[in-house]
Amino acid sequence: MTSRLIKECGGALIGTSANISGRPSLRTAEEVLRELEGRVDLVVDGGPTSLGRESTVVRVLEDEITVLRDGAISRDDILKTLPETRAC
């Protein structure tokens, strides 16, 4: 479902962490819906997160990748999964 959603959005999907700044990280879709009631268009429920940390934010422009915020997935792990690119 997520891959189809990204494709339908033209190949890019942008979102923020599923919590209000300064509040605890949310772990389930139900928590997100309760906390952000009326503030989000869609919640994709992939089950509860086991990481308990905020997301890693990455900018990809052509062949350049920049990690904007470190989070649950390390920069090295992200770069290992991507095709040959220039990391910043």
Side-chain angles (χ1 to χ4, degrees), residues 17-76:
S17 295
N19 65 311
I20 295 172
S21 182
R23 306 248 318 152
S25 297
L26 305 174
R27 300 196 49 195
T28 67
E30 290 80 17
E31 290 175 353
V32 171
L33 290 168
R34 206 171 25 253
E35 180 84 8
L36 302 177
E37 182 180 2
R39 297 184 184 132
V40 295
D41 296 320
L42 175 73
V43 173
V44 177
D45 188 353
T49 180
S50 61
L51 299 175
R53 288 189 61 200
E54 285 70 29
S55 56
T56 303
V57 178
V58 179
R59 177 177 55 208
V60 180
L61 295 173
E62 296 180 16
D63 66 341
E64 187 173 284
I65 297 169
T66 306
V67 176
L68 302 174
R69 181 180 74 190
D70 290 322
I73 302 173
S74 75
R75 179 181 190 275
D76 289 342

Side-chain angles (χ1 to χ4, degrees), residues 65 73-85:
I65 297 169
I73 302 173
S74 75
R75 179 181 190 275
D76 289 342
D77 285 343
I78 289 170
L79 295 177
K80 283 183 214 172
T81 64
L82 297 172
E84 200 61 33
T85 55

